[in-house]
Amino acid sequence: MKHTMTDIQQLLQQIRNFRDARDWQQFHNSKDLALALSIEASELLELFLWKGNEESDPKKLKEELADVLMYALLLADKHDLDIKQIIEDKIKRNNKKYPVE
């Protein structure tokens, strides 16, 4: 499943359009976006509570994961972060921190 930055930018624009049509940008400060991200991640975790490792409702999994990703994208956008670059930088740091050998 390969996506281009154009795909990500198009998704981000759709998220912005949804937010702006509802005048929600006023609530999207860094703190509240981070809180929303954490809360949505908790809702994602809740899908697995008291279940086996791979037991979850696929529909709910998609919904909660989408919420997590949307808030992460909005937070990155708020700080003008290049999503591709910050992920590549993190992978490089992780490769140094956790070498294969």
Side-chain angles (χ1 to χ4, degrees):
M1 186 181 332
K2 199 162 191 169
H3 298 285
T4 66
M5 278 309 290
T6 303
D7 293 336
I8 300 295
Q9 289 301 328
Q10 288 173 349
L11 283 173
L12 187 51
Q13 189 57 53
Q14 289 176 15
I15 296 166
R16 284 186 203 116
N17 291 345
F18 179 87
R19 175 200 64 198
D20 295 348
R22 289 151 183 81
D23 197 27
W24 288 351
Q25 187 172 7
Q26 62 184 317
F27 306 112
H28 287 187
N29 59 69
S30 298
K31 175 192 66 84
D32 288 335
L33 286 170
L35 285 168
L37 177 58
S38 179
I39 291 164
E40 293 300 339
S42 294
E43 290 178 12
L44 178 64
L45 281 171
E46 188 177 25
L47 299 177
F48 296 94
L49 185 63
W50 314 122
K51 297 178 182 164
N53 288 340
E54 301 301 326
E55 294 176 28
S56 70
D57 179 332
K59 182 178 181 246
K60 290 180 181 177
L61 177 68
K62 289 178 193 177
E63 290 177 11
E64 296 304 338
L65 187 55
D67 288 339
V68 168
L69 293 168
M70 287 190 294
Y71 281 118
L73 289 171
L74 283 169
L75 187 56
D77 186 52
K78 173 91 177 153
H79 290 274
D80 295 319
L81 300 175
D82 181 324
I83 296 162
K84 182 177 184 287
Q85 189 63 56
I86 64 173
I87 290 173
E88 287 174 346
D89 291 347
K90 183 62 176 178
I91 290 169
K92 285 177 191 172
R93 283 193 302 279
N94 284 349
N95 278 326
K96 288 179 184 173
K97 189 174 182 179
Y98 307 106
V100 174
E101 62 278 342

